Amino acid sequence: MTHLVRGRQELAAARKVLPGSVGLVPTMGALHKGHLANIRQAKARCESVVVSIFVNPMQFERADDLERYPRRLADDLAVCEAEGVDVVWAPGVPDVYPNGPAQVWVTAGELADQLEGPNRPGHFDGVLTVVSKLFARVAPDRAFFGEKDYQQLTLVRRLVADLDTDVEIIGVPTVREADGLALSSRNVFLSTEERRQALVLITALRTGRDAAGNASAVLEAAGTVLAAAEGVDVHYLELRDPQLGRAPASGPARLLVAASVGATRLIDNLAVELTG
Ligand code: PAF
């Protein structure tokens, strides 16, 4: 049975009696199939699983976005129960920030000024700050993050490497609809026509990947697909190395795209092998 805990002391008591290796799946709730994939990976790789559900005010730039963020604890708990999660930690803001808003933050560095960063100033600092706090409270052996938010995953990997945090970070492949659309809580905002138009993101990424040439060939193939798309405002199409540094001449790379379809901003990414 899943144990719901709220306060820090309650969490500490529940954590103390968890057997074996502990996997943490950090979430902001409103769990969907993407979260389920993370939970299932955690179940497969750890003896005990903790899911945290916390809508972190420090990673929202706009108060109305924070307010509007869906909160569905009863449904989320039922999902966690069905998946055999051991502990759900759903703290309130004072449980996570008992001294009020943090004065000392984790700063994400120059990677936060690129890709998603300019669109969301301060967002990644807020994410890394809360993730550090979740790690400190839960003390997991492993933590699970979706590859869909590839920049977040990459920054969390840097966080544990740069700050010597003893947590293994596991990236979980993006969950897709049958037609390839990446699952996102934002997909519900798409009209039927916009949902059809949104497929151009994965089509472009797959076309780039399948071009299987050097960086220019991949970018040109993917860019041609995006340029022909109607109703899609492309924010960026970028090819990087797997750590989001400069794309290599050959070998593993990551192709990333962000675009607005109607009023909805979508992101997606795919692994690519450059052949030089
Ligand atoms: O990806 C999310 O849901 C959030 O950014 C995270 C990692 C739970 C931190 O609040």
Side-chain angles (χ1 to χ4, degrees):
M1 194 177 148
T2 303
H3 185 181
L4 170 67
V5 296
R6 300 292 206 155
R8 290 177 166 219
Q9 275 160 16
E10 237 189 313
L11 171 70
R15 169 67 182 88
K16 222 165 152 180
V17 295
L18 285 178
S21 59
V22 173
L24 171 65
V25 181
T27 80
M28 298 205 299
L31 302 181
H32 54 62
K33 282 191 236 158
H35 297 110
L36 284 195
N38 296 0
I39 292 173
R40 286 176 186 167
Q41 276 284 324
K43 288 284 296 175
R45 300 181 66 148
C46 304
E47 282 157 277
S48 302
V49 174
V50 178
V51 172
S52 63
I53 297 180
F54 178 61
V55 182
N56 172 36
M58 284 179 70
Q59 68 188 77
F60 286 81
E61 308 90 67
R62 290 182 22 204
D64 56 333
D65 265 356
L66 173 62
E67 202 108 303
R68 216 175 30 207
Y69 201 87
R71 288 155 172 94
R72 301 190 207 119
L73 185 58
D75 292 351
D76 293 344
L77 257 183
V79 167
C80 289
E81 186 85 58
E83 293 297 321
V85 169
D86 299 283
V87 173
V88 168
W89 182 33
V93 173
D95 299 311
V96 177
Y97 299 106
N99 307 314
Q103 300 250 332
V104 176
W105 292 53
V106 178
T107 55
E110 64 183 33
L111 184 50
D113 300 331
Q114 305 162 36
L115 300 165
E116 287 304 289
N119 187 53
R120 314 183 74 180
H123 169 74
F124 288 117
D125 293 356
V127 169
L128 295 188
T129 301
V130 81
V131 166
S132 308
K133 289 167 74 67
L134 299 175
F135 286 176
R137 289 291 130 206
V138 178
D141 298 283
R142 299 187 189 92
F144 297 78
F145 294 84
E147 287 185 351
K148 163 81 173 24
D149 293 313
Y150 195 80
Q151 192 172 3
Q152 169 173 283
L153 169 64
T154 305
L155 281 166
V156 172
R157 289 193 196 285
R158 279 307 292 253
L159 167 79
V160 300
D162 291 354
L163 299 186
D164 298 318
T165 308
D166 212 2
V167 178
E168 186 186 357
I169 305 302
I170 313 287
V172 180
T174 302
V175 181
R176 299 183 180 280
E177 304 282 7
D179 58 9
L181 186 72
L183 282 198
S184 159
S185 42
R186 296 184 184 191
N187 291 353
V188 293
F189 301 127
L190 298 169
S191 67
T192 310
E193 175 59 5
E194 288 168 348
R195 195 195 167 296
R196 191 191 59 74
Q197 291 168 332
L199 285 176
V200 75
L201 272 74
I202 184 59
T203 306
L205 293 175
R206 285 176 174 162
T207 305
R209 177 197 61 193
D210 297 345
N214 60 19
S216 323
V218 168
L219 282 169
E220 196 185 320
T224 304
V225 173
L226 290 172
E230 272 174 33
V232 178
D233 178 16
V234 179
H235 300 186
Y236 60 75
L237 170 70
E238 294 217 22
L239 188 64
R240 300 287 184 99
D241 73 14
Q243 291 76 41
L244 297 181
R246 279 171 62 111
S250 63
R254 205 85 194 179
L255 187 58
L256 304 104
V257 66
S260 290
V261 182
T264 308
R265 190 168 191 283
L266 299 173
I267 57 172
D268 202 353
N269 67 85
L270 214 57
V272 167
E273 188 70 24
L274 299 175
T275 53

